[in-house]
Amino acid sequence: MAHYGLWPVVIINSLIIIIFAFSFSRPRSLKDWRTFGTFSAFVVALFTEMYGFPLTIYLFSGWLGSHYPELDIFSHDYGHLWYTLLGFTGDPHSNPIHGVSDLLISGGLIFLGFTWMFLYRAQRKGVVATSGPYAYVRHPQYIAFIAVMTGFLIQWPTLLTVLMYPVLIRMYVWLARQEEKEALEQFGEEYASYAAVTPGFIPFSRPGMRKAA
């Protein structure tokens, strides 16, 4: 497995994504840190299999070897499992699947930074964030995180990240509901009026918010 065991690459890539995400998410409470920690674990698990040890490919090596005997399944190119399973040929890095994943990852990270600017300005003024992305959805920062995770899952699916993905999305939804309760307590009718006309996660969908307990 000469294409793996690149542990410095695992560490460097993990740190780049985690530090970038941290700089714009700024976890404060225990639940924030718990959610960010789970996202970080997702990133580390992904790069560990991408450049360190391909656990998923190893576990499925028997099945992959019998169905794709002509392929070197431990070659780095064939770690792009969607590329392999869908029967594509050629360089997987120039495949449309890889292009979509790159767009989701880079776009998600850029959108996270863009979103943070509007949230930061609102926090400085002590008002509800309602401009920029917040004019269309109440939780654009979580949309950014989900986009990044989806991009990674498309590009390099692994057993751990597939299992962690729905858990993280559930955590983001739960955290969003908790933040809405806090915003209602802090801003009262101002936030309630904003939430009544602004969807939570999907732009142009019907707005809705659970009432604070």
Side-chain angles (χ1 to χ4, degrees):
M1 294 189 292
H3 297 89
Y4 296 96
L6 306 175
W7 298 107
V9 178
V10 173
I11 295 171
I12 292 171
N13 280 323
S14 297
L15 285 176
I16 289 173
I17 299 296
I18 291 170
I19 291 173
F20 185 90
F22 175 82
S23 67
F24 292 112
S25 60
R26 302 291 178 90
R28 293 165 295 177
S29 66
L30 180 61
K31 63 177 180 288
D32 291 343
W33 279 106
R34 191 180 303 126
T35 304
F36 184 77
T38 308
F39 172 80
S40 300
F42 178 96
V43 171
V44 172
L46 171 83
F47 285 120
T48 295
E49 291 214 35
M50 189 179 291
Y51 297 109
F53 179 77
L55 176 63
T56 301
I57 295 175
Y58 179 79
L59 292 175
F60 287 98
S61 59
W63 184 88
L64 288 169
S66 63
H67 285 74
Y68 303 95
E70 74 283 4
L71 302 180
D72 177 7
I73 60 172
F74 288 106
S75 168
H76 186 80
D77 281 354
Y78 295 106
H80 299 265
L81 286 178
W82 293 124
Y83 168 87
T84 300
L85 296 175
L86 293 175
F88 289 112
T89 58
D91 183 1
H93 299 89
S94 60
N95 187 274
I97 291 178
H98 201 286
V100 170
S101 71
D102 284 343
L103 182 62
L104 285 169
I105 295 167
S106 58
L109 291 172
I110 293 171
F111 186 60
L112 179 63
F114 178 70
T115 294
W116 181 82
M117 293 190 299
F118 293 91
L119 180 61
Y120 177 73
R121 291 171 188 169
Q123 290 176 338
R124 287 284 301 270
K125 296 177 182 178
V127 298
V128 177
T130 59
S131 59
Y134 289 91
Y136 301 96
V137 287
R138 301 195 301 275
H139 306 290
Q141 72 277 25
Y142 295 132
I143 294 175
F145 276 117
I146 291 171
V148 172
M149 293 190 303
T150 302
F152 279 133
L153 207 59
I154 291 173
Q155 183 175 142
W156 197 283
T158 74
L159 282 175
L160 284 176
T161 54
V162 166
L163 291 173
M164 293 173 69
Y165 182 79
V167 174
L168 267 166
I169 290 181
R170 186 174 180 83
M171 288 182 69
Y172 286 140
V173 172
W174 176 82
L175 187 59
R177 301 309 181 194
Q178 300 305 308
E179 291 178 353
E180 287 177 345
K181 291 180 180 180
E182 295 171 2
L184 277 173
E185 293 175 358
Q186 181 178 356
F187 298 107
E189 185 58 34
E190 180 185 358
Y191 188 81
S193 299
Y194 163 71
V197 297
T198 309
F201 291 92
I202 304 175
F204 311 112
S205 64
R206 182 179 178 181
M209 182 183 68
R210 296 177 184 176
K211 298 296 183 182

